[in-house]
Amino acid sequence: MNFQEQIGSILTVDLNVLAKNFAYLKKRLASNAVCSAVVKSNAYGLGLEKVVIRLLTEGCNSFFVSVMDEAIELRGYLKQQDKDADIYLLNGLPKGIEKDLTEYEITPVLNSITEIEFWAAYGKRNLNKFKAIINIDTGMSRLGLDTREMHYLLKNPELTNHIDLTYLMSHLACADDKENRKNEQQRRLFEEYRLKLLPKKSSLANSAGIFLGKEYHYDLVRPGAAIYGLQPIINEINKIHQVINLKAKIIKTMTVDQGKSVGYGATYKASRQSRLATVALGYGDGYFRTLGNRGHGYIGNKKVSVVGRVSMDLVTFDVTDVSEKDSGAGAMIEIIGPQYTVDNLAADAGTIGYEILTSLGERYFRKYVG
């Protein structure tokens, strides 16, 4: 018996929907562009192994992760499936891992002149040219060669003589806002550098960047959020569908009189005689504490509200307007679903869907469809 399935919360990941999202993104691309997948942070919390195996069947053969442990884990899954694919390491080249990168066939994204020099020196020592992406900062001010480093590289192109430069890339800062002028400013600066460096191929667009137009697509796009069901553009609904469903089981109901307080700090007082349902869910599962007195759920088509603070393992909902038959112990409250999406919940929590997905805890009973 799985006790968490019996008394806790159930997280369903629909890999068929994930595949449809990936296919939808591919259809929007310029004819020469390849669609990769960003699978960092355990595939945005949904499970690296399951997600990657499904994406492989959908024709995805290049993946981006953040750290070396993720890259090695991913390579292991690919070998188990007897599949080959490109793995790119976004967070750069820590000195000393060059041999590991080549052993596991992982391509680093080089974010500084120092990293370029390390990687070129390693190639020279081994009489080889190893693959790499060079990342340029065009306005994110986070990773990538800054303006001074780019000028240095342009004056010293021999720095890349011992590197197999597969892509030149940059990252858009405001792509979720189509009207933001920074998008075009970044694209133009990227284009200027691209024409000077003449790499084999180029990559600029993330999930949102795909929707800015084909001039942003270049040779490779790097969607993450949109694959996992998050809407990529502010105030625009695209054919991206919800990948997960989260339901929490009611473990106790009680009736409280008007004026009775609920939860830690007595932050909520019942405005009427109320029926309350306590579910096995809390901030220990990634259900944010900020959802206290703000979050919602659904029982059938009935909206039910969080009352009181969110605890580590428990949340209380007001189910007064739902029949006792449908809201007794053992009944389920839909926490994330078609009526209340990840993006909806994130808005109520004062955050973004990315944080909700990557915070999904390990205590859920997980079901995978497809």
Side-chain angles (χ1 to χ4, degrees), residues 85-119:
D86 294 319
I87 302 174
Y88 299 104
L89 186 66
L90 287 165
N91 282 10
L93 177 69
K95 190 174 182 180
I97 70 165
E98 294 93 336
K99 184 177 179 181
D100 298 296
L101 287 167
T102 53
E103 179 182 347
Y104 289 100
E105 298 178 90
I106 296 160
T107 302
V109 175
L110 306 177
N111 292 303
S112 68
I113 291 294
T114 300
E115 291 182 355
I116 290 173
E117 290 173 340
F118 282 163
W119 195 237

Side-chain angles (χ1 to χ4, degrees), residues 138-141 171-177 180 182-183 186 206:
T138 55
M140 192 75 166
S141 301
H171 194 66
L172 295 164
C174 303
D176 59 342
D177 179 3
N180 197 307
K182 191 175 183 71
N183 295 321
Q186 285 192 259
N206 52 5

Side-chain angles (χ1 to χ4, degrees), residues 126-144:
N126 288 273
L127 304 177
N128 205 337
K129 280 184 163 187
F130 296 114
K131 292 180 179 179
I133 293 176
I134 290 180
N135 185 21
I136 303 170
D137 174 43
T138 55
M140 192 75 166
S141 301
R142 192 177 63 173
L143 288 177

Side-chain angles (χ1 to χ4, degrees), residues 173-190:
C174 303
D176 59 342
D177 179 3
K178 281 186 171 181
E179 304 305 315
N180 197 307
R181 282 189 248 174
K182 191 175 183 71
N183 295 321
E184 185 60 14
Q185 290 169 0
Q186 285 192 259
R187 191 193 69 78
R188 287 182 180 180
L189 183 57
F190 182 68

Side-chain angles (χ1 to χ4, degrees), residues 192-211:
E192 177 186 331
Y193 286 143
R194 191 180 75 88
L195 292 175
K196 290 177 180 177
L197 282 174
L198 296 175
K200 291 179 183 176
K201 296 180 179 179
S202 303
S203 177
L204 179 62
N206 52 5
S207 287
I210 291 171
F211 294 84

Side-chain angles (χ1 to χ4, degrees), residues 290-296 303 340 342-351:
T290 53
L291 289 162
N293 298 309
R294 295 179 65 182
H296 301 93
K303 185 177 181 180
Y340 191 54
V342 174
D343 290 317
N344 296 148
L345 186 144
D348 283 342
T351 183

Side-chain angles (χ1 to χ4, degrees), residues 157-306:
E158 71 279 1
L159 288 174
T160 63
N161 284 351
H162 294 279
I163 294 174
D164 181 3
L165 180 57
T166 55
Y167 288 97
L168 189 70
M169 69 170 269
S170 189
H171 194 66
L172 295 164
C174 303
D176 59 342
D177 179 3
K178 281 186 171 181
E179 304 305 315
N180 197 307
R181 282 189 248 174
K182 191 175 183 71
N183 295 321
E184 185 60 14
Q185 290 169 0
Q186 285 192 259
R187 191 193 69 78
R188 287 182 180 180
L189 183 57
F190 182 68
E191 184 69 9
E192 177 186 331
Y193 286 143
R194 191 180 75 88
L195 292 175
K196 290 177 180 177
L197 282 174
L198 296 175
K200 291 179 183 176
K201 296 180 179 179
S202 303
S203 177
L204 179 62
N206 52 5
S207 287
I210 291 171
F211 294 84
L212 295 180
K214 293 185 178 180
E215 67 270 27
Y216 285 82
H217 295 171
Y218 290 97
D219 302 289
L220 179 78
V221 298
R222 313 183 307 271
I227 296 174
Y228 307 107
L230 302 181
Q231 286 293 333
I233 302 294
I234 296 171
N235 298 323
E236 181 176 302
I237 303 298
N238 290 289
K239 293 179 182 177
I240 297 295
H241 296 290
Q242 186 86 2
V243 172
I244 69 167
N245 179 281
L246 176 61
K247 292 181 177 179
K249 191 163 289 187
I250 296 172
I251 55 178
K252 181 178 174 61
T253 61
M254 66 170 64
T255 299
V256 299
D257 293 331
Q258 181 179 355
K260 187 75 178 288
S261 66
V262 180
Y264 285 120
T267 60
Y268 178 86
K269 289 184 174 60
S271 60
R272 57 178 175 168
Q273 187 181 74
S274 304
R275 286 185 63 252
L276 306 180
T278 301
V279 301
L281 176 73
Y283 57 75
D285 305 290
Y287 190 79
F288 287 17
R289 192 169 182 269
T290 53
L291 289 162
N293 298 309
R294 295 179 65 182
H296 301 93
Y298 278 85
I299 299 177
N301 291 320
K302 288 278 190 179
K303 185 177 181 180
V304 294
S305 298
V306 174

